[in-house]
Amino acid sequence: MRKKIVAIDMDDTICHLVPRAIHYHNLLYPDLPLTMEQMISFDMTGIWHPQCTEDIFFGRPGLYEELEIFDEHTVEEVRKIASDHEVIIVTAARPSSVAEKWNWLQRWMPFIPFENFFVAKRKYLLNFDLLIDDGPHNLLPAKAAGKQTIGIPRPWNKHIQEQFIMKDAWQGMSDLVNRLLTGQTSQG
């Protein structure tokens, strides 16, 4: 029997991208500071400084290599999931950040092989059994395709959280994944 495939997002799922990007935005534009609570959409153009662009916000060289791990349980929980299932890391990335993301992943999770590292914005095109992600644009199509999902609660997915099993910390994530993949827990 084949192992189940668990697709795990990177940014704001296993590491903290938006808080770090906000930090640099606020250093550049102290007259219009941002907070996480303001990030209620993936379209941030209406709230960041008028001189800010997506390249400035997400394109700072070295940004992705300095991101903090989600929490103290993330690495061990991903390792546990990988011992029972095929784990693929699936991340949207601008071409200039791909190497940084791979370097970050190897620093924190060297047990994830290169062939299990996918760069894709439209994650629903990939074959997986369960997706762990924070993006509504990934969670909704995965659920519509009949895939199991676990959402990471963030301000930008608040409007869909009641439709998904949400987990705000990594402790116990491997147990939840196993329950979902064996049918012991139903989706909301």
Side-chain angles (χ1 to χ4, degrees), residues 3-4 79-86 174 178:
K3 283 186 168 187
K4 300 279 185 162
R79 186 186 317 274
K80 287 178 184 177
I81 295 168
S83 71
D84 294 329
H85 308 288
E86 189 77 37
S174 59
N178 287 336

Side-chain angles (χ1 to χ4, degrees), residues 4-5 22 29 40 59 67 70 108 132 136 151 173 175 182:
K4 300 279 185 162
I5 300 169
I22 288 172
Y29 310 109
I40 58 172
L67 301 180
F70 191 88
W108 289 98
I132 303 172
M173 186 71 81
D175 291 336
T182 59

Side-chain angles (χ1 to χ4, degrees), residues 43-137:
D43 178 8
M44 301 172 196
T45 57
I47 61 170
W48 60 34
H49 194 280
Q51 293 175 359
C52 189
T53 64
E54 187 171 326
D55 279 341
I56 292 171
F57 198 76
F58 291 117
R60 182 181 186 280
L63 174 66
Y64 294 89
E65 288 186 74
E66 67 182 54
L67 301 180
E68 293 179 23
I69 193 79
F70 191 88
D71 66 27
E72 68 273 18
H73 303 286
T74 307
V75 173
E76 189 54 34
E77 290 293 326
V78 172
R79 186 186 317 274
K80 287 178 184 177
I81 295 168
S83 71
D84 294 329
H85 308 288
E86 189 77 37
V87 168
I88 60 173
I89 301 298
V90 186
T91 185
R94 57 189 54 242
S96 61
S97 69
V98 173
E100 290 182 17
K101 287 185 169 213
W102 173 247
N103 290 341
W104 184 94
L105 189 62
Q106 286 306 284
R107 176 178 153 214
W108 289 98
M109 299 178 189
F111 54 89
I112 302 290
F114 176 73
E115 55 271 11
N116 288 28
F117 176 69
F118 292 82
V119 176
K121 186 170 181 110
R122 297 183 303 162
K123 297 174 185 179
Y124 62 88
L125 295 174
L126 297 173
N127 181 29
F128 56 81
D129 299 288
L130 184 144
L131 174 67
I132 303 172
D133 206 305
D134 66 291
H137 60 284

Side-chain angles (χ1 to χ4, degrees), residues 139-147:
L139 293 167
L140 289 166
K143 185 175 182 179
K147 309 289 186 178

